[in-house]
Coordinates of all heavy atoms in Angstrom, one line a residue:
H2 N 6.0 13.4 8.7 CA 6.7 13.9 7.5 C 6.4 13.0 6.3 O 6.3 11.8 6.4 CB 8.2 14.0 7.8 CG 8.6 15.0 8.7 ND1 8.8 14.8 10.0 CD2 8.9 16.4 8.5 CE1 9.1 16.0 10.6 NE2 9.2 16.9 9.6
A3 N 6.4 13.7 5.2 CA 6.3 12.9 3.9 C 7.4 11.9 3.7 O 7.2 10.8 3.1 CB 6.1 13.9 2.7
A4 N 8.6 12.3 4.1 CA 9.7 11.4 3.9 C 9.6 10.1 4.8 O 10.0 9.1 4.3 CB 11.0 12.1 4.3
I5 N 9.0 10.3 5.9 CA 8.7 9.0 6.8 C 7.7 8.1 6.0 O 7.9 7.0 6.0 CB 8.3 9.5 8.2 CG1 9.4 10.1 9.0 CG2 7.7 8.2 8.9 CD1 9.0 10.7 10.2
A6 N 6.6 8.7 5.5 CA 5.7 7.9 4.8 C 6.3 7.2 3.6 O 6.0 6.0 3.3 CB 4.5 8.8 4.4
A7 N 7.2 7.9 2.9 CA 7.8 7.3 1.7 C 8.7 6.2 2.1 O 8.7 5.1 1.5 CB 8.6 8.4 1.0
T8 N 9.4 6.3 3.3 CA 10.2 5.3 3.8 C 9.4 4.1 4.2 O 9.8 3.0 4.0 CB 11.1 5.8 5.0 OG1 11.9 6.8 4.5 CG2 12.1 4.7 5.4
L9 N 8.3 4.3 4.9 CA 7.5 3.2 5.3 C 6.9 2.4 4.1 O 6.9 1.2 4.1 CB 6.2 3.7 6.1 CG 6.6 4.3 7.5 CD1 5.5 5.1 8.1 CD2 7.0 3.1 8.4
N10 N 6.6 3.2 3.0 CA 6.1 2.5 1.9 C 7.2 1.8 1.3 O 7.0 0.6 0.8 CB 5.6 3.5 0.8 CG 4.9 3.0 -0.4 OD1 3.8 2.5 -0.3 ND2 5.6 3.0 -1.5
S11 N 8.4 2.2 1.2 CA 9.5 1.5 0.6 C 9.8 0.2 1.5 O 10.2 -0.8 0.9 CB 10.8 2.4 0.6 OG 10.6 3.4 -0.3
L12 N 9.7 0.3 2.8 CA 9.9 -0.9 3.6 C 8.9 -1.9 3.3 O 9.1 -3.2 3.2 CB 9.8 -0.5 5.1 CG 11.1 0.2 5.6 CD1 10.8 0.8 7.0 CD2 12.3 -0.7 5.7
G13 N 7.6 -1.5 3.0 CA 6.6 -2.4 2.7 C 6.9 -3.0 1.3 O 6.7 -4.3 1.2
V14 N 7.4 -2.4 0.4 CA 7.8 -2.9 -0.9 C 8.8 -3.9 -0.7 O 8.8 -5.1 -1.4 CB 8.2 -1.8 -1.9 CG1 8.8 -2.4 -3.2 CG2 7.0 -1.0 -2.3
L15 N 9.8 -3.6 0.1 CA 10.9 -4.6 0.4 C 10.4 -5.9 0.9 O 10.7 -6.9 0.5 CB 11.9 -4.0 1.3 CG 13.0 -4.9 1.8 CD1 14.0 -5.1 0.6 CD2 13.8 -4.2 2.9
H16 N 9.5 -5.8 1.9 CA 8.9 -7.0 2.6 C 8.1 -7.7 1.6 O 8.0 -9.0 1.6 CB 8.3 -6.7 3.8 CG 9.2 -6.4 4.9 ND1 9.7 -7.4 5.7 CD2 9.7 -5.3 5.5 CE1 10.5 -6.8 6.6 NE2 10.6 -5.6 6.5
Y17 N 7.4 -7.0 0.7 CA 6.5 -7.6 -0.3 C 7.3 -8.5 -1.2 O 6.9 -9.7 -1.6 CB 5.8 -6.6 -1.1 CG 5.0 -7.2 -2.3 CD1 3.7 -7.7 -2.1 CD2 5.5 -7.0 -3.6 CE1 3.1 -8.2 -3.3 CE2 4.9 -7.5 -4.6 CZ 3.7 -8.1 -4.5 OH 3.0 -8.6 -5.6
H18 N 8.5 -8.0 -1.6 CA 9.3 -8.7 -2.6 C 10.2 -9.8 -1.9 O 10.6 -10.7 -2.7 CB 10.2 -7.8 -3.3 CG 9.4 -7.0 -4.3 ND1 9.0 -7.5 -5.5 CD2 9.1 -5.6 -4.3 CE1 8.3 -6.6 -6.2 NE2 8.4 -5.5 -5.5
M19 N 10.4 -9.8 -0.7 CA 11.2 -10.7 0.0 C 10.5 -12.1 0.0 O 11.2 -13.1 -0.3 CB 11.4 -10.4 1.5 CG 12.4 -9.3 1.6 SD 12.6 -8.7 3.4 CE 13.3 -10.1 4.1
S20 N 9.3 -12.2 0.4 CA 8.6 -13.5 0.5 C 7.1 -13.3 0.8 O 6.8 -12.4 1.5 CB 9.3 -14.3 1.6 OG 8.4 -15.4 2.0
S21 N 6.3 -14.2 0.3 CA 4.9 -14.1 0.7 C 4.7 -14.2 2.2 O 3.7 -13.8 2.7 CB 4.0 -15.1 0.0 OG 4.5 -16.4 0.3
D22 N 5.7 -14.8 2.9 CA 5.6 -14.9 4.4 C 5.7 -13.5 5.0 O 5.3 -13.4 6.2 CB 6.7 -15.8 5.0 CG 6.6 -17.3 4.5 OD1 5.4 -17.7 4.2 OD2 7.5 -18.0 4.5
Q23 N 6.2 -12.5 4.3 CA 6.4 -11.2 4.8 C 5.2 -10.3 4.5 O 5.3 -9.1 4.8 CB 7.7 -10.6 4.1 CG 8.9 -11.3 4.5 CD 9.4 -11.1 5.9 OE1 9.4 -10.1 6.5 NE2 9.7 -12.3 6.6
A24 N 4.2 -10.8 3.9 CA 2.9 -10.0 3.5 C 2.4 -9.2 4.7 O 2.0 -8.1 4.4 CB 1.9 -10.9 2.9
D25 N 2.2 -9.8 5.8 CA 1.6 -9.1 6.9 C 2.5 -7.9 7.4 O 2.0 -6.9 7.8 CB 1.4 -10.0 8.2 CG 0.2 -11.0 7.8 OD1 -0.7 -10.7 7.0 OD2 0.2 -12.1 8.5
I26 N 3.8 -8.2 7.4 CA 4.7 -7.0 7.7 C 4.6 -5.9 6.7 O 4.5 -4.7 7.0 CB 6.2 -7.6 7.9 CG1 6.2 -8.5 9.0 CG2 7.1 -6.4 8.1 CD1 7.5 -9.3 9.1
A27 N 4.6 -6.2 5.4 CA 4.5 -5.3 4.4 C 3.2 -4.5 4.5 O 3.2 -3.3 4.4 CB 4.5 -6.0 2.9
M28 N 2.1 -5.2 4.8 CA 0.8 -4.6 5.0 C 0.9 -3.5 6.1 O 0.3 -2.4 6.0 CB -0.2 -5.6 5.3 CG -1.7 -4.9 5.4 SD -2.3 -4.2 3.9 CE -3.0 -5.6 3.0
Q29 N 1.5 -3.9 7.2 CA 1.6 -2.9 8.3 C 2.4 -1.6 7.8 O 1.9 -0.5 8.1 CB 2.3 -3.6 9.4 CG 1.6 -4.7 10.2 CD 2.4 -5.4 11.3 OE1 3.6 -5.1 11.5 NE2 1.7 -6.3 11.9
Y30 N 3.4 -1.8 7.1 CA 4.2 -0.6 6.6 C 3.3 0.2 5.7 O 3.2 1.4 5.7 CB 5.5 -1.0 6.0 CG 6.5 -1.4 6.9 CD1 7.1 -2.6 6.9 CD2 7.0 -0.5 7.9 CE1 8.1 -3.0 7.7 CE2 8.0 -0.8 8.7 CZ 8.6 -2.1 8.7 OH 9.6 -2.4 9.6
F31 N 2.6 -0.5 4.8 CA 1.8 0.2 3.8 C 0.6 1.0 4.5 O 0.3 2.1 4.2 CB 1.1 -0.7 2.8 CG 2.2 -1.3 1.8 CD1 2.0 -2.6 1.4 CD2 3.2 -0.6 1.3 CE1 2.9 -3.1 0.4 CE2 4.1 -1.1 0.4 CZ 4.0 -2.4 0.0
Q32 N 0.0 0.4 5.5 CA -1.1 1.1 6.2 C -0.6 2.3 7.0 O -1.3 3.3 7.0 CB -1.8 0.0 7.1 CG -2.6 -1.0 6.4 CD -3.2 -2.1 7.3 OE1 -2.6 -2.5 8.3 NE2 -4.3 -2.7 6.8
Q33 N 0.6 2.1 7.6 CA 1.2 3.3 8.2 C 1.5 4.4 7.3 O 1.2 5.6 7.5 CB 2.5 2.9 9.0 CG 2.2 2.0 10.2 CD 3.6 1.5 10.8 OE1 4.5 2.3 10.8 NE2 3.6 0.3 11.3
S34 N 2.0 4.0 6.1 CA 2.3 5.0 5.1 C 1.0 5.7 4.6 O 1.0 6.9 4.4 CB 3.0 4.3 3.9 OG 3.2 5.2 2.9
L35 N 0.0 4.8 4.3 CA -1.3 5.4 3.9 C -1.8 6.5 4.9 O -2.3 7.4 4.5 CB -2.2 4.3 3.7 CG -3.6 4.7 3.1 CD1 -3.5 5.4 1.7 CD2 -4.5 3.5 3.1
E36 N -1.8 6.1 6.1 CA -2.3 7.0 7.1 C -1.6 8.3 7.1 O -2.2 9.4 7.0 CB -2.2 6.3 8.6 CG -2.8 7.3 9.6 CD -2.8 6.5 11.0 OE1 -2.7 5.3 11.0 OE2 -2.7 7.2 12.0
I37 N -0.3 8.3 7.0 CA 0.5 9.6 7.1 C 0.3 10.3 5.8 O 0.0 11.5 5.8 CB 2.0 9.3 7.3 CG1 2.2 8.6 8.7 CG2 2.8 10.5 7.1 CD1 3.6 8.1 8.9
R38 N 0.4 9.6 4.7 CA 0.2 10.3 3.4 C -1.2 10.9 3.3 O -1.3 12.0 2.8 CB 0.4 9.3 2.2 CG 2.0 9.1 2.1 CD 2.2 8.0 0.9 NE 3.6 8.1 0.5 CZ 4.2 7.3 -0.3 NH1 3.5 6.3 -0.9 NH2 5.4 7.5 -0.7
S39 N -2.2 10.2 3.7 CA -3.6 10.7 3.6 C -3.7 12.0 4.4 O -4.3 12.9 4.0 CB -4.6 9.8 4.0 OG -4.6 8.7 3.1
Q40 N -3.1 12.0 5.7 CA -3.2 13.2 6.5 C -2.5 14.4 6.0 O -2.9 15.5 6.1 CB -2.8 12.8 7.9 CG -3.7 11.9 8.7 CD -3.1 11.5 10.0 OE1 -2.0 11.8 10.4 NE2 -3.9 10.6 10.8
L41 N -1.2 14.1 5.5 CA -0.4 15.2 5.0 C -0.7 15.7 3.7 O -0.6 16.9 3.5 CB 1.1 14.7 5.1 CG 1.8 14.5 6.4 CD1 3.2 14.0 6.2 CD2 1.8 15.8 7.2
L42 N -1.0 14.8 2.8 CA -1.2 15.1 1.4 C -2.5 15.2 0.9 O -2.9 15.8 -0.2 CB -0.3 14.1 0.5 CG 1.1 13.9 0.9 CD1 1.7 12.8 0.1 CD2 1.9 15.2 0.7
G43 N -3.4 14.7 1.7 CA -4.9 14.6 1.2 C -5.1 13.3 0.4 O -4.2 12.7 -0.1
G44 N -6.4 12.9 0.5 CA -6.7 11.5 -0.1 C -6.6 11.4 -1.6 O -6.6 10.4 -2.2
G45 N -6.5 12.6 -2.3 CA -6.4 12.6 -3.8 C -5.0 12.7 -4.3 O -4.8 12.9 -5.5
H46 N -4.0 12.6 -3.4 CA -2.6 12.7 -3.9 C -2.1 11.4 -4.6 O -2.4 10.3 -4.2 CB -1.7 13.1 -2.7 CG -0.4 13.5 -3.1 ND1 0.6 12.7 -3.4 CD2 0.1 14.9 -3.2 CE1 1.7 13.5 -3.6 NE2 1.4 14.7 -3.6
P47 N -1.3 11.6 -5.7 CA -0.7 10.5 -6.3 C 0.1 9.5 -5.4 O 0.1 8.2 -5.6 CB 0.2 11.0 -7.4 CG -0.3 12.4 -7.7 CD -0.9 12.9 -6.3
D48 N 0.7 10.0 -4.4 CA 1.5 9.1 -3.5 C 0.4 8.3 -2.6 O 0.8 7.1 -2.3 CB 2.3 9.9 -2.5 CG 3.5 10.5 -3.2 OD1 3.8 10.2 -4.3 OD2 4.2 11.4 -2.5
V49 N -0.7 8.8 -2.4 CA -1.8 7.9 -1.7 C -2.2 6.9 -2.6 O -2.4 5.7 -2.2 CB -3.0 8.8 -1.3 CG1 -4.1 8.0 -0.8 CG2 -2.5 9.8 -0.2
A50 N -2.3 7.2 -4.0 CA -2.7 6.2 -4.9 C -1.6 5.1 -4.9 O -2.0 3.9 -5.1 CB -2.9 6.8 -6.3
T51 N -0.4 5.4 -5.0 CA 0.7 4.4 -5.0 C 0.6 3.4 -3.8 O 0.7 2.2 -3.9 CB 2.1 5.1 -5.0 OG1 2.1 6.0 -6.2 CG2 3.2 4.1 -4.9
T52 N 0.3 4.0 -2.6 CA 0.2 3.1 -1.5 C -1.1 2.2 -1.5 O -1.0 1.1 -1.1 CB 0.3 4.0 -0.2 OG1 1.4 4.7 -0.1 CG2 0.3 3.1 1.0
L53 N -2.1 2.8 -2.0 CA -3.4 2.0 -2.2 C -3.1 0.9 -3.2 O -3.6 -0.3 -2.9 CB -4.5 2.9 -2.7 CG -5.0 4.0 -1.8 CD1 -6.1 4.9 -2.5 CD2 -5.8 3.3 -0.7
N54 N -2.4 1.2 -4.2 CA -2.0 0.1 -5.2 C -1.2 -1.0 -4.5 O -1.4 -2.1 -4.8 CB -1.3 0.7 -6.4 CG -1.1 -0.2 -7.4 OD1 -2.0 -0.5 -8.2 ND2 0.1 -0.8 -7.5
N55 N -0.2 -0.6 -3.6 CA 0.6 -1.5 -3.0 C -0.2 -2.4 -2.0 O 0.0 -3.6 -1.9 CB 1.8 -0.8 -2.3 CG 2.7 -0.3 -3.2 OD1 2.9 -0.7 -4.4 ND2 3.5 0.7 -2.8
I56 N -1.2 -1.8 -1.4 CA -2.1 -2.6 -0.5 C -2.9 -3.5 -1.3 O -3.0 -4.8 -0.9 CB -2.9 -1.6 0.3 CG1 -2.1 -0.9 1.4 CG2 -4.1 -2.5 1.1 CD1 -2.8 0.2 2.1
G57 N -3.3 -3.2 -2.5 CA -4.0 -4.1 -3.4 C -3.1 -5.3 -3.7 O -3.6 -6.4 -3.9
R58 N -1.8 -5.0 -4.0 CA -0.9 -6.0 -4.3 C -0.8 -7.1 -3.3 O -0.7 -8.4 -3.5 CB 0.4 -5.6 -4.6 CG 0.5 -4.7 -5.9 CD 1.8 -3.9 -6.1 NE 2.9 -4.9 -6.5 CZ 4.1 -4.5 -6.6 NH1 4.5 -3.3 -6.4 NH2 5.0 -5.4 -6.9
I59 N -0.8 -6.7 -2.0 CA -0.8 -7.6 -0.9 C -2.0 -8.5 -0.9 O -2.0 -9.7 -0.6 CB -0.7 -6.9 0.5 CG1 0.7 -6.1 0.6 CG2 -0.8 -7.9 1.7 CD1 1.9 -7.1 0.6
H60 N -3.2 -7.9 -1.1 CA -4.4 -8.6 -1.1 C -4.4 -9.7 -2.3 O -4.9 -10.7 -2.1 CB -5.6 -7.7 -1.3 CG -5.9 -7.0 0.0 ND1 -6.4 -7.7 1.2 CD2 -5.9 -5.7 0.3 CE1 -6.5 -6.7 2.1 NE2 -6.3 -5.6 1.6
V61 N -3.8 -9.3 -3.4 CA -3.7 -10.3 -4.5 C -2.8 -11.4 -4.0 O -3.1 -12.7 -4.3 CB -3.2 -9.7 -5.8 CG1 -2.7 -10.7 -6.8 CG2 -4.1 -8.7 -6.3
Q62 N -1.7 -11.1 -3.4 CA -0.8 -12.1 -3.0 C -1.5 -13.1 -2.0 O -1.1 -14.3 -1.9 CB 0.3 -11.4 -2.2 CG 1.6 -12.3 -1.9 CD 2.7 -11.6 -1.3 OE1 2.5 -10.7 -0.4 NE2 3.9 -11.7 -1.8
K63 N -2.5 -12.7 -1.3 CA -3.2 -13.5 -0.3 C -4.5 -14.1 -0.9 O -5.3 -14.6 -0.2 CB -3.6 -12.6 0.9 CG -2.4 -12.2 1.8 CD -2.9 -11.4 2.9 CE -1.7 -11.3 4.0 NZ -2.2 -10.9 5.3
D64 N -4.6 -13.9 -2.2 CA -5.8 -14.4 -3.0 C -7.1 -13.8 -2.5 O -8.2 -14.3 -2.6 CB -5.9 -15.9 -2.9 CG -4.8 -16.6 -3.7 OD1 -4.2 -16.1 -4.6 OD2 -4.5 -17.8 -3.2
A65 N -7.0 -12.5 -2.0 CA -8.2 -11.8 -1.5 C -8.5 -10.8 -2.6 O -8.3 -9.5 -2.5 CB -7.9 -11.1 -0.2
F66 N -9.0 -11.3 -3.7 CA -9.2 -10.5 -4.9 C -10.3 -9.4 -4.8 O -10.1 -8.4 -5.4 CB -9.5 -11.4 -6.1 CG -8.4 -12.4 -6.3 CD1 -8.6 -13.8 -6.1 CD2 -7.1 -12.0 -6.7 CE1 -7.5 -14.7 -6.3 CE2 -6.1 -12.9 -7.0 CZ -6.3 -14.3 -6.7
D67 N -11.3 -9.6 -4.1 CA -12.3 -8.6 -4.0 C -11.8 -7.4 -3.2 O -12.0 -6.2 -3.6 CB -13.6 -9.2 -3.2 CG -14.4 -10.1 -4.1 OD1 -14.3 -10.1 -5.3 OD2 -15.0 -10.9 -3.4
E68 N -11.0 -7.7 -2.1 CA -10.4 -6.6 -1.4 C -9.3 -5.9 -2.3 O -9.2 -4.6 -2.3 CB -9.7 -7.1 -0.1 CG -10.7 -7.5 1.0 CD -11.0 -9.0 0.8 OE1 -10.7 -9.6 -0.2 OE2 -11.7 -9.5 1.8
A69 N -8.5 -6.6 -3.1 CA -7.6 -6.0 -4.0 C -8.3 -5.1 -4.9 O -7.8 -4.0 -5.2 CB -6.8 -7.1 -4.7
L70 N -9.3 -5.5 -5.5 CA -10.1 -4.8 -6.5 C -10.5 -3.4 -5.9 O -10.4 -2.4 -6.6 CB -11.3 -5.5 -7.0 CG -12.1 -4.8 -8.1 CD1 -11.3 -4.6 -9.3 CD2 -13.4 -5.7 -8.4
T71 N -11.0 -3.4 -4.7 CA -11.4 -2.2 -4.1 C -10.2 -1.2 -3.9 O -10.3 0.0 -4.3 CB -11.9 -2.4 -2.6 OG1 -13.0 -3.3 -2.7 CG2 -12.2 -1.1 -1.9
Y72 N -9.1 -1.7 -3.6 CA -7.8 -0.8 -3.5 C -7.4 -0.4 -4.8 O -7.0 0.9 -5.0 CB -6.8 -1.5 -2.6 CG -7.1 -1.5 -1.2 CD1 -7.6 -2.5 -0.5 CD2 -6.6 -0.4 -0.4 CE1 -7.9 -2.6 0.8 CE2 -7.0 -0.3 0.9 CZ -7.5 -1.4 1.6 OH -7.8 -1.4 2.9
Y73 N -7.4 -1.2 -5.8 CA -7.0 -0.8 -7.1 C -7.9 0.2 -7.8 O -7.4 1.2 -8.4 CB -7.0 -2.1 -8.1 CG -5.8 -3.0 -7.8 CD1 -5.9 -4.4 -8.0 CD2 -4.5 -2.5 -7.4 CE1 -4.9 -5.2 -7.7 CE2 -3.4 -3.4 -7.3 CZ -3.6 -4.7 -7.4 OH -2.5 -5.6 -7.2
E74 N -9.2 0.0 -7.5 CA -10.2 1.0 -8.1 C -10.0 2.3 -7.4 O -10.1 3.4 -8.1 CB -11.6 0.5 -7.8 CG -12.0 -0.6 -8.8 CD -13.3 -1.3 -8.5 OE1 -13.8 -1.1 -7.4 OE2 -13.9 -1.9 -9.4
D75 N -9.8 2.4 -6.1 CA -9.5 3.6 -5.4 C -8.2 4.3 -5.9 O -8.3 5.5 -6.1 CB -9.4 3.4 -3.9 CG -10.7 3.0 -3.2 OD1 -11.8 3.2 -3.8 OD2 -10.7 2.6 -2.0
A76 N -7.2 3.5 -6.2 CA -6.0 4.1 -6.7 C -6.3 4.7 -8.1 O -5.7 5.7 -8.4 CB -4.9 3.1 -6.7
L77 N -7.0 4.0 -8.9 CA -7.3 4.4 -10.3 C -8.1 5.7 -10.2 O -7.8 6.6 -11.1 CB -8.1 3.4 -11.1 CG -8.3 3.5 -12.5 CD1 -7.0 3.8 -13.2 CD2 -9.1 2.4 -13.1
I78 N -9.1 5.8 -9.4 CA -9.9 7.0 -9.3 C -9.0 8.2 -9.0 O -9.1 9.3 -9.6 CB -11.0 7.0 -8.2 CG1 -12.1 6.0 -8.7 CG2 -11.5 8.3 -7.8 CD1 -13.0 5.5 -7.6
I79 N -8.0 8.1 -8.1 CA -7.1 9.2 -7.8 C -6.2 9.6 -9.1 O -6.0 10.7 -9.3 CB -6.2 8.8 -6.6 CG1 -7.0 8.7 -5.4 CG2 -5.1 9.8 -6.5 CD1 -6.3 8.1 -4.2
R80 N -5.8 8.6 -9.7 CA -4.9 8.8 -10.9 C -5.6 9.3 -12.1 O -4.9 9.8 -13.0 CB -4.1 7.5 -11.3 CG -3.2 7.1 -10.1 CD -2.4 5.9 -10.5 NE -1.3 5.7 -9.5 CZ -1.0 4.5 -9.0 NH1 -1.5 3.4 -9.5 NH2 0.0 4.4 -8.2
N81 N -6.9 9.2 -12.2 CA -7.6 9.7 -13.4 C -8.0 11.2 -13.2 O -8.2 11.8 -12.3 CB -8.8 8.9 -13.7 CG -8.4 7.6 -14.4 OD1 -7.5 7.7 -15.2 ND2 -9.2 6.6 -14.2

């Protein structure tokens, strides 16, 4: 369900904001959300872009800037 994907994304956001120590947990929630949203809504849906952006934020938090850039660019493509 789309509501489950939204909740998983919200849990990821919560863990992202709690502490950088929670980044791996946040990433797990974002990846689960992305999988569900992509299957249910299609890869070009704005909700997919939101989750891709959130995954990019985790990569920035981990100083993995090249990976972050990829996710941010994918999100931007969907939003344009």
Side-chain angles (χ1 to χ4, degrees):
H2 287 95
I5 292 171
T8 301
L9 289 167
N10 189 73
S11 294
L12 286 167
V14 170
L15 176 70
H16 284 278
Y17 170 83
H18 287 289
M19 286 174 64
S20 161
S21 60
D22 294 340
Q23 299 288 314
D25 289 336
I26 296 169
M28 182 65 86
Q29 290 174 0
Y30 283 121
F31 290 144
Q32 288 173 331
Q33 290 174 34
S34 176
L35 180 63
E36 182 178 335
I37 294 169
R38 284 178 164 176
S39 295
Q40 289 176 357
L41 289 178
L42 306 172
H46 193 277
D48 289 349
V49 171
T51 297
T52 304
L53 289 169
N54 189 79
N55 289 338
I56 291 171
R58 293 171 72 185
I59 295 293
H60 286 297
V61 167
Q62 190 177 46
K63 293 181 166 195
D64 294 331
F66 300 111
D67 290 338
E68 289 88 352
L70 182 60
T71 299
Y72 283 95
Y73 285 146
E74 288 175 339
D75 289 347
L77 184 60
I78 288 167
I79 293 169
R80 290 182 172 142
N81 280 329

